[in-house]
Every structure is written in C-alpha cells, then in structure tokens.
Amino acid sequence: MLQAIVIGGGATGAGILRDLALRGVRAALVEQGDLVHGTSSRYHGLLHSGGRYAVKDPESARECAVENQIVRRIAPFAVEPCGGLFVRLEQDDPAYARRWVAACREAGIPVEEVDPDRLRREEPLLAGSVCEAWAVPDAAVDGWRLVRGNVAAAEARGARVFTYRRVVGLLMDGRRVAGVRLLNLATGEEERLEAELVINAAGAWAGQIAAMAGAPLDVVADRGVLLVYHGRLTSRVVNRLRKPGNGDIFVPAGSVTLLGTTATPVPDPDDISVPPEEVEELKRLGAEMLPMAATARILRAFAGVRPLFGSGPGGNTREISRGFAVIDHEAEHGVPGLLSVVGGKLTTYRMMAEKAVDVAAARLGVTVPCRTAEEPILPPPDPDAVRRLVHLVGRDLAQAVADRHPATLPQIAEAIARPGGRQVVCECEQVTAGELVGTARELGAPSLGDLRRRTRLGMGTCQGGFCGYRAALLLAREGIVAPEQVPALLARFQAERWRGVRGGLGGLELRAAELNYALARAQMAMEPAAGTADAVAQMGGAGHD
C-alpha cells in the first residue's frame, strides 16, 4: 500500500511528491487534468524577488527572496534570469517609493537604483513619465518545465503519477481518510487508491477536497486576467513602484510579454472567464508604464485562479496575505489521515512542500530530513544523445530539447534522424517534427493540448491556426492517432486556443482570427466551438482559432 497520496499536479503537488520520494516515502500523485492543469500554468510566469510584497507582506517577501535563489540553483533549466525593475511614474507617490526601498532592504532583497539615462537606453519603450527606477533579482520561470522536472525526479525514485483522474470522493475508515476515489476521465471508470495519508495540494480546489472529509478549509478563489503580447516589449520584468494593483507588471517570457493582472474573487475555481472590461482596464493601466501596450498586438487573454488562504477587508483579495499554511486536519478538525497545504505562490512552492512533508513525515514515522534545497532537480542528460542532437539540429535547438525532455533524448534523437524529422512544424516556437513525434510517443495517445504544454506548439503568432493542422496530420501519419480522430483532435485544440484569442480581439488580432476561421472552414469544414458562436457573430464573424 502507498504511504502517501498527493492531490494536485501543480507546482506545490509536484514539489511535495519529489520531497516525499527523496525521503523514501512510497507516494503517488493524482491530477484531474494534465500536469500543470491549474494555476501553475495560468499566471504571469514571475519568479518573485519578493519586491512586490516588501511593504504590505514582509514575511512573504522574505520567503520569496530566499526561494528565488534556491529555484535558480536547483532548476536553472526552468528559469530565465532576465532581472527586474520597479519604476515610479511622476504621478506615483514618492513617499511610498522610499518605504519600499527600506522594506526591501529589511527583507534581504537586493535593490539597486538605475540611472535614468541607462534606463532609457536599456528599456526605450518605457513611458517618459518614469522618474525613478530600481533593479531587483526578478526572473521569469516556466511553470511546466519546473513541474515536469520535479515529477521526473520523483518518478526516478519510484513515485507514481496518475493524470486525468478526478477525485470524486475520499475513502473513509470512520473519521480517518484512507485514500481517494478517482474517475478516470479517459475510460470513464472509477478507481481507488489507498494510502496511510492524503496530502491535499489541490490549490483553488483544496476547499472542495477537504469538504469531502467534512473538514472546513477557508480558500478564496481569486481570478486574475492576463494579456499576452506578441514579441518582447521589455528585456526585464517591469513592475510599477506603487501599492500592488491591476495592470502593474510586465513579464517577458520567451518570445512574448505578459501583462497582469486583475483580482476578482469568484465562487467557482473553474471560472477562468475573461471579462472584456478587465482586458480594457489592463491595456489602459499597462499603457501608463509602457505606451505601446495600448496598440501592440495581443495574442491572447487568459485567466487563472489564485488559491488564497484567509480573507481580506470588504472582500478585497489584494489585502489577503500571499503566505501559506499547512493544516493537519487530525489536530485541527479530528480528521486523521488528511493534510492540506494552501495559499502561497509558485516561487515558494519548494518551501511549501518542505513544510507539508515535514508534517507528513512525522505522521508516517519518517525521520529522513528534507534535501530539496540542495539536490538539483534533473539528472544530467545523456551526453551521447546530446551530441547526436547537436549534430542533427544545431546547438540551440538541441539544448532546448535537452531541457524539455532529458529522459527521452535517445528516442527524440532517433525521431529527428528519420527522414523529415528536422522539418519545423511550428515556426514561432521552432518545434520540429522529430521533437513532436518523440514527445507524442512518450505520452502514448496525447491531445494537442498535452503537446502544447510540453513543446510550446501553437503558442506563437498563429496560436495554432497553421501548426495545429501540421501537428495533427503528423500524428496520424506516424500512426500515433487514427486518421478518423484528426478532426476531433483539431477541434478540441482550436477551441482551447480560441478561448484565449477571443479575449483580445481587435485590430490586427481580429484580422488574424478571420484568417484562422477561414482556414478552419475551408480545410476542415469546422465551425467555432459550442458556446462561442454568438461571440464570433458579435465580432463580425471572426475567429475560430
């Protein structure tokens, strides 16, 4: 029997699984979708320096400052150390800026004032009203790579992972939680897993899981909308130097720039709708820092739900701490066999996991200490496979493949070596046919969405409007999916892409959506996904992506 089951395949759940595995605990993870199904993939991608919370939440700021450096050290493959800026505009309060600098230094966050002339040279698109700037060690982090790295490290030590399994109930032995009841979303069958301990790391859904055992858990689902701009509008993370609010941070990530975010409490953690008024508010506020944000091309608008712990005055979620808590439900509510970890941020995922597993280990009688801050996440990739990849596709692309799939390099190298393996399927993200086929074979029978998370297929300018067809047909040609499955595969992928595209439609975005819609109708006789037809009609008939 398992010693522990972790519910939730985001950063915290993956970190807990790795920590358990390193301590020799027999553990499994269950997730209702693919890995990184929830908040860990639906946020601005910032590895916090702690500067954002220095004034209002100094404990969270100190935690971020410490964990920022740890994540850089143990998972460099997932981090882009671009650096960050806090900029004060002429209309912003200079007294707050002085408090912020002092608070950063008190929290151990390195801050360095940036000369205005240097700033204009390095970030020429910033508003002319910027009158003060400070550099901080912010960075961009790829949530998918970070989670997959943690999971791969845990699997290498015997941990098991079950994706597309929704928890529909907890196995109860009297008041004790003894495991989970799962619905296999691929087969429709119910499954059962038993364990000595269940660790609830379900993020915004954690309250629902705890309620299955009759344990109260105060989790606030806080929806935040973000915009994805085409191209890098800044070279570094740019934060507005004022009290945190909407539309006050730009994060460059790969070939795009993200602008975030709003904060709206919602009753349902599955509510990732994108209200048009929030999109317009983000554009207006973002343009105060970066005027181009008002007119630059938006690839998509999307939302994620923060799992906050506690409550704010008057329902203001901005005032809720970004700290975290580990709840032992036996001690708190008389429910043995269940722990919950709630709140926090992706930046502090490892610390959250450590504190949760410390409690779990005590319950399981395990005395092995935590090693997650010292031990690198991914083992060195196979050097022979890397050399083959460099020869076949060049150094930069080979390194990208190595970062994404270190455990499958020989298979990927073999796939790329086959005729047509070097063909580029997705020009924007430089995804090759060989990489796509190698990844698909690893997964078995993947959706295009699964492949997107692993290879960035469809995340560039066309948003899957061109490369989605190539990828689906390639999978059929390679025998990975049946030809008759191609239309459904494409429809599901394009519906997901369209959900984000529709939030930012206007100008260039509308014209691109018109083209994708025409392609869908001409090539596959496809119409917009159910529920979007009215929105398409209101936008002039544009948009199935």
Side-chain angles (χ1 to χ4, degrees):
M1 186 175 73
L2 294 168
Q3 291 174 280
I5 296 170
V6 183
I7 301 175
T12 304
I16 290 171
L17 188 70
R18 172 178 175 246
D19 198 333
L20 290 167
L22 284 171
R23 301 194 204 200
V25 176
R26 299 186 306 279
L29 179 147
V30 298
E31 163 58 46
Q32 63 177 324
D34 193 8
L35 293 173
V36 205
H37 167 81
T39 308
S40 294
S41 65
R42 308 190 68 83
Y43 79 119
H44 44 44
L46 176 66
L47 186 68
H48 281 272
S49 63
R52 189 167 177 83
Y53 306 116
V55 173
K56 75 178 184 71
D57 197 348
E59 182 177 356
S60 292
R62 283 189 288 271
E63 291 172 351
C64 287
V66 171
E67 292 299 309
N68 175 297
Q69 297 303 307
I70 292 175
V71 173
R72 287 172 187 256
R73 186 173 65 249
I74 66 173
F77 62 91
V79 178
E80 181 184 346
C82 55
L85 292 168
F86 276 77
V87 300
R88 183 174 71 83
L89 308 185
E90 291 173 350
Q91 62 266 41
D92 295 334
D93 182 8
Y96 181 85
R98 291 192 293 271
R99 286 176 58 205
W100 176 84
V101 172
C104 282
R105 289 173 174 159
E106 178 67 22
I109 302 165
V111 291
E112 177 190 357
E113 190 166 12
V114 180
D115 176 76
D117 292 334
R118 171 188 156 195
L119 180 65
R120 280 188 284 273
R121 289 194 305 271
E122 295 179 352
E123 301 292 349
L125 298 183
L126 284 177
S129 58
V130 173
C131 58
E132 184 179 359
W134 295 82
V136 297
D138 281 337
V141 60
D142 186 317
W144 164 254
R145 292 188 185 185
L146 186 64
V147 168
R148 188 68 190 97
N150 276 272
V151 167
E155 288 178 315
R157 292 169 173 81
R160 302 169 66 190
V161 176
F162 300 91
T163 55
Y164 294 103
R165 264 79 164 189
R166 180 177 297 145
V167 176
V168 293
L170 299 177
L171 301 177
M172 304 297 296
D173 181 6
R175 288 282 290 169
R176 172 178 289 278
V177 175
V180 295
R181 291 173 44 233
L182 305 171
L183 176 63
N184 186 321
L185 298 181
T187 66
E189 297 176 351
E190 185 170 304
E191 301 169 349
R192 298 160 62 95
L193 282 179
E194 297 181 357
E196 297 176 49
L197 186 66
V198 172
I199 304 176
N200 173 18
W205 294 267
Q208 297 178 1
I209 298 297
M212 293 177 181
L217 193 58
D218 187 15
V219 179
V220 177
D222 186 43
R223 186 188 64 207
V225 171
L226 300 102
L227 306 183
V228 183
Y229 283 92
H230 178 246
R232 289 177 72 109
L233 306 184
T234 65
S235 63
R236 289 176 283 190
V237 176
V238 178
N239 305 263
R240 189 161 177 177
L241 184 43
R242 66 176 187 185
K243 185 177 179 180
N246 292 351
D248 62 356
I249 182 170
F250 288 91
V251 182
S255 59
V256 300
T257 305
L258 289 88
L259 166 62
T261 176
T262 59
T264 306
V266 291
D268 183 358
D270 289 304
D271 181 358
I272 51 173
S273 58
V274 178
E277 61 273 14
E278 293 191 23
V279 173
E280 293 305 312
E281 181 187 21
L282 285 174
K283 291 169 65 176
R284 176 180 59 81
L285 292 171
E288 294 180 6
M289 278 198 298
L290 206 71
M292 184 176 281
T295 56
R297 181 178 178 186
I298 297 172
L299 293 179
R300 61 193 295 109
F302 69 96
V305 178
R306 307 175 189 89
L308 304 180
F309 182 58
S311 59
N316 183 359
T317 54
R318 292 282 183 198
E319 299 303 319
I320 299 177
S321 169
R322 269 35 177 185
F324 67 91
V326 177
I327 295 93
D328 183 340
H329 291 286
E330 180 174 359
E332 296 288 332
H333 307 115
V335 180
L338 180 65
L339 303 178
S340 293
V341 54
V342 291
K345 304 196 66 61
L346 184 139
T347 300
T348 58
Y349 89 94
R350 191 216 59 84
M351 178 185 288
M352 295 169 65
E354 177 179 353
K355 299 303 182 185
V357 178
D358 282 348
V359 177
R363 287 292 183 190
L364 295 170
V366 174
T367 58
V368 178
C370 178
R371 305 201 311 272
T372 57
E374 293 79 29
E375 186 162 325
I377 286 179
L378 289 178
D382 179 344
D384 292 332
V386 171
R387 281 195 291 273
R388 289 195 296 274
L389 284 173
V390 170
H391 174 71
L392 289 166
V393 302
R395 183 173 301 279
D396 291 343
L397 184 56
Q399 187 59 57
V401 175
D403 286 346
R404 293 171 183 170
H405 307 290
T408 59
L409 283 174
Q411 298 97 308
I412 294 172
E414 179 185 354
I416 292 176
R418 290 200 303 268
R422 294 182 63 178
Q423 172 192 353
V424 175
V425 177
C426 175
E427 292 94 340
C428 299
E429 299 295 337
Q430 287 295 293
V431 181
T432 66
E435 182 182 2
L436 204 63
V437 168
T439 305
R441 293 202 188 283
E442 175 193 352
L443 292 175
S447 69
L448 293 180
D450 295 336
L451 293 173
R452 176 186 65 80
R453 281 179 283 273
R454 288 159 175 78
T455 68
R456 295 187 62 85
L457 173 79
M459 293 184 71
T461 305
C462 83
Q463 288 290 291
F466 298 148
C467 59
Y469 299 105
R470 299 174 190 147
L473 295 173
L474 174 66
L475 296 183
R477 189 166 62 242
E478 292 289 327
I480 296 170
V481 301
E484 58 270 20
Q485 293 178 302
V486 167
L489 201 69
L490 272 169
R492 181 178 174 186
F493 182 60
Q494 293 191 346
E496 189 279 330
R497 294 283 85 195
W498 162 247
R499 183 174 62 187
V501 169
R502 64 179 292 190
L505 284 180
L508 289 173
E509 299 85 16
L510 187 58
R511 288 156 62 184
E514 288 274 13
L515 174 60
N516 284 345
Y517 179 53
L519 284 172
R521 294 201 65 180
Q523 298 298 319
M524 303 294 293
M526 294 171 66
E527 291 290 346
T532 65
D534 291 342
V536 175
Q538 292 168 9
M539 295 171 182
H544 189 14
D545 188 39

